[in-house]
Amino acid sequence: MSAAKKPPVLILLGPPGAGKGTQARMLEEKFGLVQLSTGDLLRGAVAAGTEAGKAAKAVMEAGQLVSDDIVVAVLKDRLADGDTQHGVILDGFPRTTAQAEALDGMLAARGQKINAAISLEVEDEAMVERISGRYTCAACGEGYHDSFKKPAVAGVCDKCGGTEFERRADDTAETVRSRLETYHEQTAPLIAFYAGRGVLKEVEAMGGIAEIAARLAGIAEQAGA
Ligand code: AMP
């Protein structure tokens, strides 16, 4: 066995609103891992008007899944960037078994494998409230919520001082229902998939952000982060 430490690969699974993005950003800051969010990559592609973005836009607005081919290609491109070499946290990918299999192939080609697939366990009903109140700083992406996490000074980002904020086009109560259904039908089967691989970690994620972050930090440390 090689003595060289392999960079960790963590996956965050969970329905929309479970806190994947927030927690991924905290792990990124604490351990120097890189957050790879296919949702962010696709929103970037939509904003840039690329072919992938044009194909994805209406599907995302309907709360459905963008095709495996498009998402896998977008992720593959991003994984090729040098900053991913010290370890990654996948946020929102994979979402289907076909994507999970494609990921295995991409990692094998880099001599890597998944260290932990962390399933954030939450209650669907609470997700609608969480999502419909959330917004982010337009400059740095820090996440906020109308009820649960307001900036210390109203209208000013705690992290970067930015004063412009944005809400996602798909963060409406109707679209959330569709995204939850999609999650249960197409993505939740990955929980059994990763349990079968022996890498599943289930984390109760209805509590406070800091408390959940501490649980995830423990898992990341065990994974070698
Ligand atoms: P997210 O930011 O992870 O909530 O993703 C927002 C939307 O982007 C989803 O509702 C899907 O339409 C699309 N999307 C993000 N990641 C994936 C993926 N891995 N597979 C298919 N569609 C995705």
Side-chain angles (χ1 to χ4, degrees), residues 9 11 79 88 90 102-115:
V9 177
I11 294 177
L79 259 183
V88 295
L90 292 160
L103 176 62
D104 282 346
M106 286 187 262
L107 292 176
R110 298 157 62 94
Q112 289 179 297
K113 62 179 177 48
I114 293 154
N115 298 86

Side-chain angles (χ1 to χ4, degrees), residues 134-152:
R134 74 185 183 179
Y135 60 98
T136 52
C137 169
C140 75
E142 182 71 358
Y144 294 97
H145 192 281
D146 293 328
S147 318
F148 311 131
K149 189 190 164 197
K150 298 177 188 173

Side-chain angles (χ1 to χ4, degrees), residues 124-202:
D124 275 13
E125 273 320 300
M127 297 307 104
V128 179
E129 192 193 357
R130 273 199 196 175
I131 289 188
S132 17
R134 74 185 183 179
Y135 60 98
T136 52
C137 169
C140 75
E142 182 71 358
Y144 294 97
H145 192 281
D146 293 328
S147 318
F148 311 131
K149 189 190 164 197
K150 298 177 188 173
V153 178
V156 182
C157 175
D158 295 346
K159 205 165 167 205
C160 77
T163 52
E164 281 190 30
F165 296 86
E166 53 197 20
R167 288 178 196 260
R168 280 170 47 172
D170 60 347
D171 275 353
T172 60
E174 311 82 77
T175 313
V176 174
R177 302 241 175 243
S178 158
R179 286 160 64 199
L180 285 169
E181 255 172 51
T182 304
Y183 174 78
H184 289 293
E185 280 170 21
Q186 302 193 56
T187 306
L190 292 179
I191 295 173
F193 177 94
Y194 286 119
R197 300 278 178 98
V199 292
L200 181 72
K201 306 278 178 197
E202 288 176 292

Side-chain angles (χ1 to χ4, degrees), residues 20 37-40 42-43 59-60 63-66 71 91-95 99 134 168 170 179:
K20 299 186 295 296
S37 155
T38 42
D40 285 348
L42 289 168
R43 281 183 286 281
V59 181
M60 292 172 76
Q64 289 163 4
L65 293 187
V66 175
V71 180
D91 156 13
F93 184 96
R95 266 173 153 103
Q99 291 178 17
R134 74 185 183 179
R168 280 170 47 172
D170 60 347
R179 286 160 64 199

Side-chain angles (χ1 to χ4, degrees), residues 64-124:
Q64 289 163 4
L65 293 187
V66 175
S67 78
D68 291 333
D69 288 355
I70 292 180
V71 180
V72 168
V74 162
L75 183 77
K76 196 170 182 182
D77 262 14
R78 178 65 183 89
L79 259 183
D81 294 342
D83 65 340
T84 64
Q85 66 193 349
H86 304 299
V88 295
I89 315 149
L90 292 160
D91 156 13
F93 184 96
R95 266 173 153 103
T96 63
T97 309
Q99 291 178 17
E101 284 163 355
L103 176 62
D104 282 346
M106 286 187 262
L107 292 176
R110 298 157 62 94
Q112 289 179 297
K113 62 179 177 48
I114 293 154
N115 298 86
I118 304 167
S119 170
L120 300 178
E121 304 285 319
V122 290
E123 292 153 19
D124 275 13

